[in-house]
Amino acid sequence: MFHGSLWRKSLPSHPFPRRHSYLIFHIPLRILMTSAKPTSPTGSPPRSPTFSRFFSFLKGASSSSIANGTSSRKSMDKKNGSTKSVQVEKKPPQTFVGAIDQGTSSSRFMVFNEKGAIVTMHQMEFEQIYPKAGWCEHDPDVIMGSVNECIAKVADKLEAMGHSVTDIKAVGITNQRETTVVWDKTTGKPLHHAVVWLDGRTKDTVAQLVEKSSSKTTSHWHDRCGLPFSTYFSGVKLRWLLDNVEEVRKAHQEGRLAFGTVDSWLIYNLTGGINGGKHVSDVTNASRTMFMNIQTLQWDDEILEFFDVKKEVLPEIVSSAEVYGNIVGGPLAGIPIAGCLGDQQAAVVGQRCFNPGEVKNTYGTGCFMLFNTGEKPVISTHGLLTTVGYKLGKDAPAVYALEGSVAIAGAAIKWLRDNLKMIKEAPEINELAAKVEDTGGVYFVPAFSGLFAPHWRDDARGCIVGLTQFATREHIARATLEAICFQSKEVLDAMNADAGHDLALLKVDGGMTNSELGMQIQADLLGIEVVRPAMRETTALGAALAAGLTVGIWKDLKDFSAHETPDVFKPTIEAEERSTRYANWKKAVERSLGWV
């Protein structure tokens, strides 16, 4: 997910979260890793070193030298260019947990202490590849390289703080979910760019699958896997790759193909790649492929036969909290990877939504609302998805959730910044939007790749309606914030309908929650309280909690209770105004449909 890298307030341990750094252990990263340039969709992208190859070069190149309670660090004397040694007081050993947070536009590595507070972090944005309109790809090696750099930078920061990487007892992983990676089992190299979750190229594939089904409906496998046919899910993306990329099809036929979501790719490389790397995926990510039976939590043979996909290309399904293997190289060598959840499910854990009926909404590149339904899956009748919320241990029960997924949320702000050049930095949208009291009748439907829940319309496209000569960029800025909040209201209404009662409050996290105005608009349009935690890095925290639970840093879920005081936003508009504005939004949505 987007993780709010465009919005995030800087932390004392990480003062420049959006600036890229190009040194690892004082060795230029560009010598070790080159960013891939876009290629044709059926061509093989240029390769960068994967984790195992990357760290085989660095093995033994530790940047710390710790002795007798101090560590010696060299720094440059800016006046004369000489180096000098700086003594850093070594702190007593502590207990930390690391979290790799791999999102749609950036990768991060964060370290948490036993109280769940952030010790330090590093973040790096990476290139988005857009081969055609509606398509979005990532280079898997660039993703891996960005994770490597974040880990190395955090190791340096810990040393500078007087800590040791040996204080990190386990690492958890959270990741963009449906993004699909395919690689060769014999070489460990990607066979194609990763097809990103919001990529809409599989529209025709969806139509073909619907036609192939006996029911001729998008919901043909819904009861079995919890998901409809949609461009969104990994299984459909894999089918497109098999149909359109000869290299992938040949690897499938010859038994060389490995498939996975980003968690599988990271764990495979971190644990050794072709030299014994583990090919696994946790139940939360597996539940986003269309291939997993939502009841048995295993790959479904009948669905695989329908998709014409061999089971041996798939990862082993594991729980969200167990040791998958140890990291094989670099600063974290020997540390176990002990937790894994898809980013939205990680936020459920990080928000401590452990009781049935609790709901959280994460505002990232997209917007994702999950409703804890307990230990039995509930199949929605109002356009929502059934997904695994978490399974915190091999023998622990799976907890399920209903999910409403919105494709474009923070990505709409990025579009204003990068495409329209309306703003230079994402937070400027607040300044613009605050200059007007309303949108002046302007409504923005950011259906750049269709509409997800509850519509599931891949023929929708973005539109801005209600423009007059009175409209200004300030009105468009405010309409963009409202668009994100209106989409969340549509999802919440569907959840209320499935639950049979109205939810009383909404827990929120993600980058846009840093916007006071945005959260107030959300409360106004929902008509309920919006609760924002004081510690907003809930996605990474969820992964860290799962890993810490595995290795015994925390004993059970009760240890996860939050102690901080959250911010609460209460509705300030009347029900009649809310209803009128929502009705106009619905009219705008109607105008976005049927374009392709």
Side-chain angles (χ1 to χ4, degrees), residues 443-447 450-457 459-465 483 486-487 490 581-595:
Y443 289 82
F444 176 21
V445 183
L451 290 171
F452 286 0
H455 305 282
W456 299 109
R457 293 287 297 265
D459 62 343
R461 287 298 178 266
C463 64
I464 300 176
V465 301
F486 275 127
Q487 290 179 102
E490 288 185 316
R581 289 162 65 180
Y582 191 42
N584 288 336
W585 161 259
K586 290 288 193 181
K587 288 163 61 177
V589 170
E590 288 296 321
R591 285 158 174 77
S592 76
L593 303 177
W595 285 97

Side-chain angles (χ1 to χ4, degrees), residues 168-460:
I168 300 175
K169 305 306 179 185
V171 171
I173 292 176
T174 182
N175 58 284
Q176 50 173 319
R177 297 177 299 175
E178 298 78 10
T179 295
T180 299
V181 187
V182 287
W183 66 94
D184 190 319
K185 292 179 180 179
T186 62
T187 66
K189 294 181 179 180
L191 294 169
H192 191 273
H193 283 150
V195 181
V196 179
W197 60 271
L198 52 73
D199 183 288
R201 76 184 65 185
T202 55
K203 181 176 180 291
D204 290 341
T205 304
V206 169
Q208 292 164 9
L209 292 169
V210 170
E211 183 60 29
K212 181 180 178 180
S213 70
S214 59
S215 66
K216 310 296 183 186
T217 66
T218 59
S219 60
H220 182 75
W221 295 109
H222 195 187
D223 290 352
R224 188 84 65 91
C225 68
L227 312 173
F229 289 123
S230 167
T231 60
Y232 186 16
F233 304 113
S234 309
V236 179
K237 298 178 192 299
L238 176 59
R239 186 64 259 166
W240 185 93
L241 288 165
L242 290 168
D243 291 339
N244 292 276
V245 183
E246 176 60 28
E247 194 174 358
V248 176
R249 179 166 54 250
K250 186 176 180 181
H252 186 243
Q253 293 169 347
E254 296 176 356
R256 295 182 288 108
L257 180 65
F259 153 86
T261 43
V262 172
D263 61 314
S264 298
W265 174 244
L266 296 179
I267 294 172
Y268 172 76
N269 281 287
L270 289 166
T271 58
I274 59 173
N275 298 312
K278 306 299 183 182
H279 187 201
V280 299
S281 182
D282 97 292
V283 287
T284 66
N285 282 290
S287 73
R288 312 300 293 188
T289 62
M290 289 198 75
F291 294 155
M292 192 189 83
N293 186 304
I294 203 73
Q295 301 281 352
T296 66
L297 306 183
Q298 297 299 319
W299 301 123
D300 190 289
D301 291 332
E302 191 175 351
I303 295 177
L304 290 174
E305 182 180 0
F306 175 86
F307 274 86
D308 195 16
V309 169
K310 297 178 181 179
K311 185 183 287 188
E312 53 262 34
V313 311
L314 306 178
E316 176 190 356
I317 298 176
V318 293
S319 76
S320 306
E322 61 181 273
V323 174
Y324 315 117
N326 292 342
I327 296 173
V328 297
L332 304 185
I335 296 175
I337 304 172
C340 180
L341 300 108
D343 51 11
Q344 302 314 314
Q345 288 92 335
V348 169
V349 175
Q351 284 272 33
R352 287 85 160 181
C353 292
F354 296 133
N355 300 310
E358 292 186 319
V359 182
K360 74 88 198 174
N361 198 25
T362 298
Y363 302 78
T365 298
C367 199
F368 303 88
M369 191 180 299
L370 272 73
F371 173 19
N372 184 327
T373 60
E375 295 180 14
K376 292 184 178 180
V378 174
I379 304 300
S380 173
T381 58
H382 295 86
L384 302 178
L385 310 174
T386 302
T387 194
V388 178
Y390 53 85
K391 186 178 188 296
L392 297 177
K394 290 182 179 181
D395 300 323
V399 173
Y400 295 89
L402 285 172
E403 176 175 335
S405 307
V406 172
I408 302 296
I413 285 81
K414 188 177 181 183
W415 180 74
L416 293 184
R417 185 195 72 179
D418 296 344
N419 293 46
L420 296 192
K421 311 299 183 184
M422 268 183 52
I423 54 178
K424 292 183 179 180
E425 299 291 342
E428 292 176 24
I429 197 171
N430 293 306
E431 301 170 17
L432 288 177
K435 291 179 180 179
V436 290
E437 294 182 357
D438 54 41
T439 66
V442 175
Y443 289 82
F444 176 21
V445 183
F448 298 152
S449 55
L451 290 171
F452 286 0
H455 305 282
W456 299 109
R457 293 287 297 265
D458 55 20
D459 62 343

